[in-house]
Amino acid sequence: MTREKSRSRPGFIPGLLASAAAGVLAVCTVAGATPVKVITDKNATPRELYGAEKLRTAVADLATAPRQARIVAALRTAPELRHFNLPAFRPQAEEAFLIKQLGNTWVVAGSDPSGVLYGELELADRIRAAHALPAGIDDMEHPALKLRGACIGMQKQEITYEGAEYDYPYTPQNFPFFYDKTEWIKYLDMLAEARYNTLYLWNGHPFTSMLKLPKYPEAQELPTAQLDENIAMFKWLTAEADKRGIWVLQGFYNIHLSHAFARAHHLPYHLSAPDPVATAYTRYVISEFVREYPHAGLMITLGEALSPYYGAEWLTQAIIPGVKDGLKELGITTEPPIVVRAHATDIDAVMKAALPLYSNIDTMFKWNGESLTWTNVRGPVLDRFKMLAENSNVAIANVHLLSNLEPFRWGDPDFIRQTLANFQRIGIGGLHLYPLRYWDWPYAGDNTEPPLLQTDRDWIWFAAWGRYAWNPNRDPEKEHAYWVAQFADRFGSAEAGEKLLAAYTLAGPCQPRLLPRIGITEGNRQAFTLGMTMPQLIDAARFNPAVTLWTGDAPDGERLNEYVEEEVKHEPHHGETPIAISDETVEASRQALEAAQATAPYVTQDKAEYERIVNDMRAIHQLMLFYNAKTKAAEQVLLYGYDHDTAHLHSAESLLAESVDRFRELTAIAGPAYRTATSMETSQRQIPFRGGMENFPNWQQCLPMYEKELVTFRKRLAQLSSGETIDQSKPVETFPQVAFTLEPGAGETFTVEKGASLFTGSNAAITDLAPGLTGMKGIRIAPREGGTLHFRLAQDAQILVGFVSNASRKSSVLDPETEQWNLVLLNALSAARIAPMAAWTKPLPAGENELDLGKGEYVVLGFIPADLHVVPHINFVRQAAGNATPNLDWLFE
């Protein structure tokens, strides 16, 4: 099916707010110089007028200007420009502009109002840089990426609203920044200056915070006065954004409901399967959003509650009909774009079902997972992006969360430029950019008073992504000079600019390059800045690693266990190796620190921020030294696993001690500088230690764990050296159970034990079972039928579910890692002709619950207390067979 591949302007009514008329002529007089006229079209839109004001400000600062100089800014087809005989833009050009000097006239011509705006902003930049009208300019530009967006989380660091993830009402108490118009203007101006044209707001169920729902009065969650304020604020925000060429999209998760509505209809706040009442409600709120905010857009997450099996059904029977209902009320026949995330859903099935009903769908997929690890992608990640680019209007890459960069400053312009050049090569047409500290917006993590704003601290992060989303194919030498000037403007001299740019560029690739070689995941489970334990380095397979971290989000190379195996076998290595990359990051971070320190004599302004930069470079260098020593210690332990030569362990002891010393120095440097090492405060953080921000918010809490690990290792080494027999077995952890009642519907209860059938209607008997699970009361289903489980819990609990591995899991079964579940036991059980299952937990409230995990192979193993802390571990009885890596955990536990 042929689908429209362009949009004139975003929004449910394209250009609705950009249609206001303005004056025929605007004149700016240059103080003390020849007046410079800035002329706009008599029907200029708010976007064109906004850009014209920026031009007026720029020319007002000129000391001199040519006699009778004027600037004419308008659409290329406007009457004011017809007699200039300007060259045409390419067919279907969007946001394109031409700046050309013709005698004493500087012409800014746009393909559309956004093109005029960007031409005006570009000319204003040139005037400020040269302190003059640019002589002889003849420049035509258009953006490389159609959508260039930033995002803000209308979400908080901790779960606060009735135990529901992602659901946070819009109130001054929850989000004071949302009501600060002064800061919004500053932020939107920054986005416009960097040529961003989209802004995404993330929330679980935002609709009752910005809509009155007369059909469902029982859904109202906020006082009417607060709701009125929110509606006025959102309309103001979208209007101000539109003035700057920015399309605001509201994100939401599925199926999330108004809590008040859910209580009134005896439904859970979140549903894993469609329900007729929830379908009607969702269809209605979507239609009301389209009707009330025709100039805004929708970003849809079809999962993190809804089972992937139902994603296509929900989009086509609830969301798309709601969009169409709203458009019908507005009298609109063209389909505006909607954005569907390829996350926690079967996106192939979703697109196949949705496109015949609604052709204008943009898709979004995470770039490098939830970290930044490479300027490119390959393998399965590349295949996914190519599929999305082929089957959607615009494929958007989501630079998400940045788990491996927190909390330090990061801004390597050339890394970003190369990344966006690869977007272009792959066919990715959009950028969705997270801030460096998403969960704590608008503040940075620095321990300062008042808190630093991310827009100030991380200026280069926003500026570089925006600059290269517009055009990544710029001259490297000119770009170097550009960024030197940007740093110089902030810190007072070209020398400072040169050295600080070098520091940022040298430090930039360190965390991205190292994580894929030794880390567990690019996801939010791992806080890379807080280090890793020896078992995590020795055998990542025991911690449910995200394999695409090194098969898709990094260059070809080896993991530590592969590297050691090839060393032992005297086989050639391939691609990047963990030891070499670690050595290179140590050297690069050392040079970055030296460059930053050498800047001191040249810094003449903002010295406090300069000192914070140096401290970050010092911390990054210590982190690289920590990982270097610990990775080499792990290498020695792995070698011991092959030849049992205790000389390897003695070498490891020295290296491990060095790593603890390095982490102690890191703690002294970074600990006082930051409120917390990372911004997410949930139990999803499991690497290096489970407990998230509650138990391990900072380096200070992790240091004693690493010191303890060293003490234990030294004890084990002494026992080995003395010939003492060491008991390597681990005590069996028996899970206490929470009582539950299975209500009529899908599933049946059973006792979890060897020999029991794993599924209903199947003879797949359990052949191996972690001892701690024996005797649990579970629920089994028929894999081909699935169904919604309805059950009542006697108290708050964690549900314990067995899922097969990622490689074996069917697409219609929920992926627990993408759904904020917590892994507690690898190889928990297995059955004939069934891949080994891992046990995962997720908190659930007391009382009535429903759960639908799709169709496929999974089993509920029981329910355990909500406050029970289970350390992730492995069933070694099953794991011992077929795994070449011996169990060496006993050396450290």
Side-chain angles (χ1 to χ4, degrees), residues 535-596:
Q536 290 160 0
L537 286 166
I538 291 166
D539 191 0
R542 298 172 187 172
F543 297 88
N544 190 46
V547 177
T548 53
L549 172 60
W550 57 90
T551 63
D553 292 319
D556 176 57
E558 298 172 358
R559 300 280 289 172
L560 188 59
N561 60 330
E562 295 177 271
Y563 172 82
V564 171
E565 182 178 359
E566 291 179 355
E567 284 284 295
V568 170
K569 294 179 179 180
H570 303 291
E571 294 180 351
H573 297 287
H574 65 91
E576 297 182 344
T577 67
I579 300 301
I581 292 299
S582 182
D583 286 342
E584 290 172 19
T585 61
V586 167
E587 177 60 19
S589 61
R590 182 192 65 78
Q591 292 181 25
L593 175 58
E594 287 186 354

Side-chain angles (χ1 to χ4, degrees), residues 68 94 111 142 164 224 258 303 351 416 434 436 444 474 496 574 592 615 643 700 800 826 850 879 881 886:
Q68 296 183 337
E94 298 177 25
S111 61
H142 59 83
T224 300
S258 154
M351 295 299 287
I416 295 170
Y434 263 58
L436 285 172
R474 300 174 188 260
H574 65 91
N615 201 66
D643 61 18
Q700 294 92 318
L800 192 66
L826 278 170
E850 67 88 25
Q879 188 268 345

